[in-house]
């Protein structure tokens, strides 16, 4: 079975144009300054940059800078942390990407723009559910998790 790399398979405007889908514009829905590719949407768009800055500050880790989408999926490997902490960071990166994509879809399909605080609140909420239900940390506190996501380590 052949797998399509995410940067080619995700239905961004650039990928839709490549597939000869008639679309009115290939510009990014958030910033309207650059063509919306996977790399732009998740790493270079002003919305994504602000999300990564907020996630970095919340996690108390060095700022997350990525040039390509694959860099985001490897960011946890560059951190000087234990295995559990790296797994938490990778999970938060994946959740953050999902929240950015969901926010983009709400803008495109519902003309609803969400604030950075709304996006970060959803990342925290989804991250809390993921950790509480998928790890040995069943007794984590929502209040403490919101202050610092890795307090239980």
């Amino acid at each position: 079975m052949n797998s399509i790399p995410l940067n080619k398979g995700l239905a961004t405007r650039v990928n839709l144009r490549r597939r000869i889908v008639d679309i009115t514009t290939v510009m990014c829905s958030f910033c309207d300054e650059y063509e919306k590719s996977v790399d732009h949407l998740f790493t270079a768009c002003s919305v994504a940059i602000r999300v990564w800055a907020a996630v970095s500050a919340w996690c108390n880790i060095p700022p997350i800078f990525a040039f390509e989408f694959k860099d985001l999926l490897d960011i946890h490997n560059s951190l000087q942390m234990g295995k559990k902490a790296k797994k938490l960071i990778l999970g938060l990166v994946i959740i953050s990407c999902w929240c950015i994509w969901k926010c983009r879809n709400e803008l495109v399909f519902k003309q609803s723009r969400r604030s950075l605080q709304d996006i970060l609140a959803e990342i925290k909420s989804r991250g809390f559910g993921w950790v509480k239900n998928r790890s040995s940390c069943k007794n984590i506190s929502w209040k403490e998790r919101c202050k610092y996501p890795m307090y239980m380590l």
Side-chain angles (χ1 to χ4, degrees), residues 18-29:
R18 187 177 298 128
R19 294 182 198 139
I20 313 173
V21 174
D22 186 26
I23 55 175
T24 56
T25 182
V26 293
M27 301 308 282
C28 176
S29 312

Side-chain angles (χ1 to χ4, degrees), residues 70-152:
K70 67 180 178 120
D71 296 339
L72 289 171
L73 299 178
D74 287 333
I75 202 80
H76 64 289
N77 291 325
S78 66
L79 300 172
Q80 300 300 316
M81 305 174 114
K83 189 175 179 179
K84 270 185 150 179
K86 287 182 178 189
K87 187 174 180 179
L88 279 172
I89 296 298
L90 177 60
L92 285 173
V93 165
I94 293 168
I95 289 167
S96 298
C97 289
W98 169 249
C99 291
I100 291 168
W101 181 252
K102 188 171 173 249
C103 183
R104 170 262 177 212
N105 285 346
E106 289 173 4
L107 180 58
V108 169
F109 298 113
K110 297 179 182 176
Q111 291 71 49
S112 174
R113 188 175 291 272
R114 297 178 64 203
S115 70
L116 176 62
Q117 291 77 20
D118 290 341
I119 297 169
L120 190 58
E122 184 169 0
I123 292 167
K124 288 179 179 182
S125 175
R126 289 183 181 278
F128 178 76
W130 172 66
V131 169
K132 188 153 181 83
N133 294 299
R134 303 265 313 165
S135 74
S136 59
C137 304
K138 304 281 185 217
N139 296 323
I140 63 171
S141 156
W142 168 252
K143 187 175 178 181
E144 292 301 317
R145 170 92 174 150
C146 284
K147 286 183 194 173
Y148 178 61
M150 294 180 281
Y151 81 95
M152 76 293 257

Side-chain angles (χ1 to χ4, degrees), residues 40-53:
H40 172 76
L41 178 64
F42 293 112
T43 65
C45 180
S46 58
V47 170
I49 290 168
R50 291 192 330 256
V51 166
W52 298 125

